[in-house]
Amino acid sequence: MDSQPSWREERREAAAVHAAALERRKAAETAQARALLTDFVRTMKERGVEPQPLRAQVTGSGASYRTGITGWYLRRNRSLGTDAEGNFYILGTPASLSARLFGVRILPSDPPIAVGLGARDGESMPLAQLLQLRLDESD
């Protein structure tokens, strides 16, 4: 009996190794992005820029809903934000009567090292650059 692994077993093992490497890279990028957000929040506080209530933008509309989150918007279109603890939020939501009346609950997301990947040209940029633009606006 042949003790060599089959082609299928080799492919399965290679896929598992690849997935583990991808997961490690994503975890490292998330940790780096969290550090950038922590520095951003610290700098905003040092500059005396007070956090404000963040609202979730209704997709495809000019309307927005209360979120119960206090922090800073990261993009001019108010689609991204961070709270005073450095948590990252995607502030988009579908239209809803209950959300209009009671607000919407937005959960934090893992921050990306580059925002807007896969968007139209010119809409994606490194998180560090986006945060620096926001800091420059706060001067």
Side-chain angles (χ1 to χ4, degrees), residues 89-135:
Y89 295 90
I90 299 170
L91 298 169
T93 190
S96 159
L97 179 59
S98 66
R100 178 179 225 154
L101 297 173
F102 305 110
V104 65
R105 183 169 180 216
I106 304 286
L107 298 175
S109 302
D110 284 340
I113 199 65
V115 295
L117 287 179
R120 295 181 294 192
D121 285 345
E123 290 187 4
S124 67
M125 72 172 55
L127 180 62
Q129 182 181 353
L130 177 65
L131 296 176
Q132 187 59 53
L133 286 172
R134 182 65 177 95
L135 288 171

Side-chain angles (χ1 to χ4, degrees), residues 4 72 97:
Q4 294 290 337
W72 298 270
L97 179 59

Side-chain angles (χ1 to χ4, degrees), residues 4-19:
Q4 294 290 337
S6 72
W7 176 86
R8 185 170 290 156
E9 290 168 340
E10 287 178 1
R11 295 302 323 141
R12 190 176 302 126
E13 185 176 320
V17 167
H18 179 73

